[in-house]
Amino acid sequence: MKQMSLFDEPTAVLPVNYYPEFLTLTEADALYQHCQQLQWQQNQIRMLGKTMPVPRLECIYGDEGCDYLYSKSVLLKPLPWTSSLAQLRQRITDMTGYSFRIVIGNQYRSGQDSIGWHNDSEASMGFNPAIASISLGSMRKFQIKPIGSKSTDFWLEHGSLLVMHPGCQSTHLHQVPKTNKVVSTRINLTFRPHIGGKR
Ligand SMILES: O=C(O)CCC(=O)C(=O)O
């Protein structure tokens, strides 16, 4: 597999790189099994004055005290790294040069689970975070667009890595839209920096 260096050109006009075969099939299958044992939770989000279930399951692992609040509403408190997640974090750091202190899991149980247009610009990640996203299980469409412009689609495959480089969260939005197609479970792991917690 082609290794990434920091000097790689990001995908034309997009501040991301996509590596479809970052993990071998055997590695991806084993990681998917591991992820099924993680502590998934159904969180509630408050939006437009209403409280509703987040349309996917979530989990978080990471360094002690690296709490993650998003949308001023959902507070995620990391559990200690599992050895598999810690090894994966190291492997992504070795490839990209970026450091990570938490990993947030999203579990999309069906095509009706989703994440809407957003950027990840929570202050707890510091300025211009790099985010590395691993996909496992069913393939889902990931869309990304410069704010106010047209979107590009990526089909995120089992075992793939998508790197969103520093700056991406300030200039672009992304989403995994709902689909009426019959799709089974997809698990996504986003490795992120954090400025708090214990070192
Ligand atoms: O599931 C994905 O690929 C994207 C997840 C995401 O956008 C997020 O966790 O902020």
Side-chain angles (χ1 to χ4, degrees):
M1 185 196 52
K2 179 180 173 293
Q3 294 296 302
M4 175 191 181
S5 91
L6 273 184
F7 306 104
D8 274 4
E9 281 294 308
T11 310
V13 304
L14 286 175
V16 303
N17 281 110
Y18 179 59
Y19 299 91
E21 290 172 12
F22 178 68
L23 301 175
T24 64
L25 182 58
T26 309
E27 288 169 338
D29 288 351
L31 184 61
Y32 183 80
Q33 295 293 326
H34 176 69
C35 287
Q36 286 179 323
Q37 312 306 318
L38 299 178
Q39 288 199 29
W40 296 99
Q41 49 195 42
Q42 174 65 75
N43 292 314
Q44 303 287 316
I45 188 165
R46 196 157 172 80
M47 278 169 74
L48 307 170
K50 285 189 184 156
T51 300
M52 57 193 90
V54 172
R56 57 194 180 277
L57 301 180
E58 296 171 303
C59 66
I60 181 169
Y61 289 77
D63 294 351
E64 190 180 338
C66 289
D67 293 358
Y68 188 85
L69 177 72
Y70 75 85
S71 301
K72 297 185 186 144
S73 171
V74 182
L75 179 62
L76 303 174
K77 287 182 160 291
L79 294 167
W81 290 99
T82 67
S83 60
S84 298
L85 293 177
Q87 277 170 31
L88 183 59
R89 166 174 75 157
Q90 189 57 52
R91 191 160 157 191
I92 300 171
T93 293
D94 291 345
M95 181 179 177
T96 62
Y98 296 135
S99 302
F100 307 102
R101 301 199 49 223
I102 54 172
V103 57
I104 296 177
N106 289 306
Q107 184 179 150
Y108 302 87
R109 295 156 289 186
S110 74
Q112 293 310 295
D113 276 357
S114 62
I115 189 164
W117 286 115
H118 69 286
N119 53 21
D120 296 296
S121 49
E122 305 301 344
S124 59
M125 287 192 289
F127 183 63
N128 276 346
I131 297 178
S133 170
I134 295 281
S135 291
L136 300 165
S138 281
M139 191 161 64
R140 291 286 295 266
K141 181 160 72 179
F142 174 91
Q143 298 181 297
I144 183 164
K145 63 177 181 184
I147 294 167
S149 190
K150 280 200 304 188
S151 64
T152 301
D153 297 347
F154 287 86
W155 289 92
L156 299 183
E157 292 157 79
H158 182 55
S160 67
L161 168 68
L162 180 89
V163 179
M164 292 187 269
H165 292 284
C168 181
Q169 306 303 325
S170 317
T171 54
H172 288 66
L173 302 174
H174 58 274
Q175 71 163 352
V176 175
K178 292 186 194 309
T179 173
N180 287 327
K181 291 195 183 118
V182 178
V183 283
S184 55
T185 305
R186 168 174 180 262
I187 289 174
N188 164 255
L189 301 171
T190 51
F191 289 81
R192 301 162 187 246
H194 198 288
I195 57 173
K198 285 197 183 160
R199 296 243 169 213

